[in-house]
Amino acid sequence: MKTSDNGSLQAVPASAFAPRWPWIPVAVIHLAACLAVVVLTAIAIKLDAYNYIHATASSHFAVIARAFNVNGLFDLGLVPVQNNGPLTNSPDAYLHWPPLYPILLALWFRVFGEGVIVQHLLSVALNVMSAALIWRSFAGSSDKTAAGLAVLAFLGAPIMFSFGFAGLHLHLAIMLTLLALVLFARNTGAAARDTGASHRRILLGVGAFAYFLAVMTSWEPLLAAPAFCFLALRDRHRQTTSALVLFGFAAVAALLSIVLLYGTEYPYFAEELWNRALMRSGSNVDLYPPDYTVTYYLQHAVLGRLPSLGVIGMLGLVGGGVCILTATKLQRPAVAIYLGSLSMFCLWAAFMRNHLAMHEYQLLILLPAAACGAGLLVERFFPHQRTRLAQTAVPDQSRSHRYRRLTCLVAPLLAASSSYAAIRTVSDFTPSNEMIALADLSKSVLPDNAIIVTPYGDMVFVYYSGRHVIRAIESEDVLDREQRAIAALCATCPIYLVANSQAVDAFPSYRLAKPLAEISNTGAIWRLGKT
């Protein structure tokens, strides 16, 4: 404190109280986020085969991308086909999800070549883009502690190391939804109205197009609509309402585009999608144990998986909500991401409540909310201001600086401790390669126009076999019942049975017959009808 000759207090420049080298703690938290990207990239490169948890989802999209490249995007009408050639008289169209991600993956394969690692690196790139958008949502902060913590919470979460490299459509859908939310939030509201109207309209148009593409990638972005509505109701201005209508039009246009794409080629599209929705919601199946209740679902399928967000993520998930409820001035784009991500996950979880389980990787939908919540916590409770009067403000400022610096130094340790087990689990995962071995054998000995019948229901076999595969034929009774329909798919295509050593017991006519090719103690291939 400084006193004048007459005894009065004088203001002291805030720089006099600033810590030495204040950029070092902020640099540490950003370097930790960069290290997380390096580790994620290393995992993506190390796992060079589809033999990890939920690899069937990655291989599924890889098969669709291959079909696009082999048969032509427009020749297939931009409709995903989830099988190898020949297309047969009834192509195996995949109509349950929008087509944008496999289209992007097909183009990615054309540029960099088809491969497991190539697909994984696309996912890493999409997640880095999402992290950049999260960082950008705090662009108005006085310093970058909140932005760095949010990015670290996103890239350093256990769920990211478990599935951030996997070839999932969710990575693209999340990135596009975040872009739409950030552009909507940044170009609406009182502060945005001080900027040029033409510039704001262009950015809102880009955001609406991003939302259109997000819905063309997956259904979950539709569930972010409450976040857009909340921001519009909070602002209550004609320009914001117009922007909301524009984004709503983009979502409707995406839905109509999907209906036109799929419905034109496959008239049964609406019925199949409706049946799949009923199955996902558990309305037309009876799969559940007697003790399966909503409470059980919440405890095991939802709340029980929240530790995958990491310590920082779980604190951010709760703290972000507290900040929004108690603070009057927060970063509007970060609030938009928090609300949009939370809305998508909660509504999706509610829709899936009667389904036996949600896939673990669907927690990725909630991760942006957890990350932005962590940043909002720092902004709310550790405020940073550049100048204050020495008499009252310097102690508060000094305390806030200390807390922010401590956050920067502790957060990387928390992220590392939370994610270490996930990194080890992914790196040390050693599943059986039996399915891949049989698929490679099929590819080497069977003609290109072969149709394979197999008890495998996994898309990994389809990817590695490179042949048209009829999956989930689990017994000889099912085979006899479906054989005529299978033969009608292609009159000139030879048909083969591929089964492992355990599954072949369900095919007694083939068990004692001499196979066309086999791998000892693994499985074999038989020509259908030739015993």
Side-chain angles (χ1 to χ4, degrees), residues 292-306 349-350 353:
Y292 187 79
T293 62
V294 173
T295 302
Y296 178 92
Y297 169 75
L298 289 173
Q299 290 176 346
H300 293 82
V302 180
L303 298 178
R305 292 175 179 166
L306 290 184
R353 69 188 183 280

Side-chain angles (χ1 to χ4, degrees), residues 211 219-227 339-340 343-345 347-349 351:
Y211 195 45
W219 304 122
E220 290 92 341
L222 288 169
L223 306 180
L339 294 175
S343 173
M344 283 194 293
F345 181 79
L347 292 176
W348 187 252
F351 174 73

Side-chain angles (χ1 to χ4, degrees), residues 331-355:
Q331 292 297 320
R332 186 176 169 89
V335 171
I337 290 178
Y338 180 90
L339 294 175
S341 172
L342 186 65
S343 173
M344 283 194 293
F345 181 79
C346 290
L347 292 176
W348 187 252
F351 174 73
M352 297 276 284
R353 69 188 183 280
N354 290 327
H355 196 262

Side-chain angles (χ1 to χ4, degrees), residues 438 441 445 514-519 523-526:
L438 278 177
L441 177 65
V445 303
K514 181 176 176 58
L516 174 68
E518 66 178 325
I519 301 176
I525 303 172
W526 294 266

Side-chain angles (χ1 to χ4, degrees), residues 275-286:
N275 289 334
R276 178 52 61 117
L278 291 176
M279 187 275 286
R280 289 291 188 187
S281 64
S283 301
N284 64 345
V285 289
D286 186 16

Side-chain angles (χ1 to χ4, degrees), residues 493-514:
C493 298
I495 305 174
Y496 300 86
L497 170 67
V498 178
N500 61 14
S501 303
Q502 294 76 34
V504 75
D505 291 337
F507 300 86
S509 298
Y510 296 87
R511 184 179 54 203
L512 300 178
K514 181 176 176 58

Side-chain angles (χ1 to χ4, degrees), residues 32-33 36 149 152-153 155-158 161 309-312 410-421 423:
L149 181 64
L152 179 61
L155 293 173
F161 293 116
L309 297 174
V311 175
I312 302 174
V410 171
L413 300 177
L414 289 176
S417 63
S418 300
S419 300
Y420 177 75
I423 296 171

